[in-house]
Amino acid sequence: MPFLGDITVGKYMAGDSMLHHLDPRTKIASIITLMGGGLTGSTWAPVLLFSAIIVIAALLSRLRPALLLRNLRSFAWLLGLTAVLHALMTPGESLYYHEGLDLGVTREGLYSAALFTMRLVAVITAAALLTLTTSPMELTDGLERLLGPLRRVGVPAHELALMASISLRFIPVLAEEAERLQKAQMARGADFGGGPLRRARRLVPLLVPLFLSAFSRADRLALAMEARGYRGGEGRTQYRQLRLRRGDAVALAVTALSLAGLITLSWASIER
């Protein structure tokens, strides 16, 4: 299971950049808004604008580019699957056709494959930037504050925020656990080489111990929370108070302008 240790979604890297100092509510709202705007476009113009915004955000975060590139390497299978499906399933001018499989590659399919792969790369990088520049506690507090108004209709904002934060935190932990299990089995003579299908079959024995480890970690976490008197969000106070500053106002204004640009480009492509 190569490159699992390179997954950065769910990890936090302490830093002193502009993105690190932004309020978590600002980062969460901006990322979700830009993702929604970037996913609406079906042409290159909005996708390129969305990708450019993510590249600028990555530069402002002062994170090593190699860190983000290694994260994409972990999702290479998803990017490849997306590209192949679009290339084979999109109708249009045929470039290659296999009669035995009744499948073919079209010009429009290659265009769609490149477009959606680029969009997926931008979305994965945006999610990684959010978790890399926001600590788990800040992420939980930000989500809880954003979901706070929904409490009036019975939505458990604190519990949902905590569940989302724990889920993100478990991603790199499980990835590291899977990598350790793989190395342990390789030390005992297991072979994970070969073609994609053979490697996929060889990974099946890792799933059982990985799931057992995940359930064990979840059980220990639940016992630890219960031992510390956790009873949900009712009556809880926060030591660190979130405050929007001038940098957050600038970031939200840039997000609004970027969203307007994405929507404009998307509508322009539809009218054409």
Side-chain angles (χ1 to χ4, degrees), residues 1 3-6 174-184:
M1 197 172 291
F3 312 140
L4 280 177
D6 296 331
L174 292 179
E176 293 174 1
E177 182 69 19
E179 194 171 26
R180 284 196 295 269
L181 289 171
Q182 183 190 28
K183 290 180 179 179

Side-chain angles (χ1 to χ4, degrees), residues 51-65:
S51 301
I53 295 170
I54 299 304
V55 169
I56 294 173
L59 294 175
L60 293 176
S61 70
R62 297 181 184 176
L63 296 170
R64 292 181 291 107

Side-chain angles (χ1 to χ4, degrees), residues 31 34-35 49-59 68 121-123 125-127 129:
I31 289 294
L34 291 175
M35 281 185 178
L49 176 59
F50 177 48
S51 301
I53 295 170
I54 299 304
V55 169
I56 294 173
L59 294 175
L68 299 174
V121 166
V123 169
T125 305
L129 284 175

Side-chain angles (χ1 to χ4, degrees), residues 124-148:
I124 293 173
T125 305
L129 284 175
L130 174 62
T131 57
L132 284 170
T133 59
T134 312
S135 67
M137 289 300 299
E138 289 180 339
L139 193 61
T140 303
D141 292 342
L143 284 172
E144 184 177 358
R145 292 293 188 86
L146 291 175
L147 295 174

Side-chain angles (χ1 to χ4, degrees), residues 177-258:
E177 182 69 19
E179 194 171 26
R180 284 196 295 269
L181 289 171
Q182 183 190 28
K183 290 180 179 179
Q185 292 196 12
M186 290 175 64
R188 294 176 175 85
D191 181 17
F192 292 93
L197 293 178
R198 182 183 178 187
R199 287 201 301 267
R201 288 196 299 268
R202 299 275 184 177
L203 292 177
V204 173
L206 291 179
L207 296 180
V208 174
L210 184 61
F211 275 109
L212 290 176
S213 174
F215 293 144
S216 176
R217 288 178 182 273
D219 188 50
R220 290 197 301 270
L221 178 61
L223 289 175
M225 293 172 65
E226 184 177 357
R228 287 166 174 79
Y230 176 76
R231 294 296 183 272
E234 190 66 29
R236 292 178 64 89
T237 59
Q238 294 179 338
Y239 174 75
R240 181 176 179 179
Q241 299 297 321
L242 300 179
R243 293 184 178 87
L244 295 175
R245 298 179 174 85
R246 183 179 303 175
D248 298 293
V250 173
L252 291 173
V254 172
T255 299
L257 291 175
S258 302

Side-chain angles (χ1 to χ4, degrees), residues 22-38:
L22 288 178
D23 190 281
R25 294 170 294 179
T26 300
K27 288 184 276 190
I28 295 170
S30 298
I31 289 294
I32 293 177
T33 301
L34 291 175
M35 281 185 178

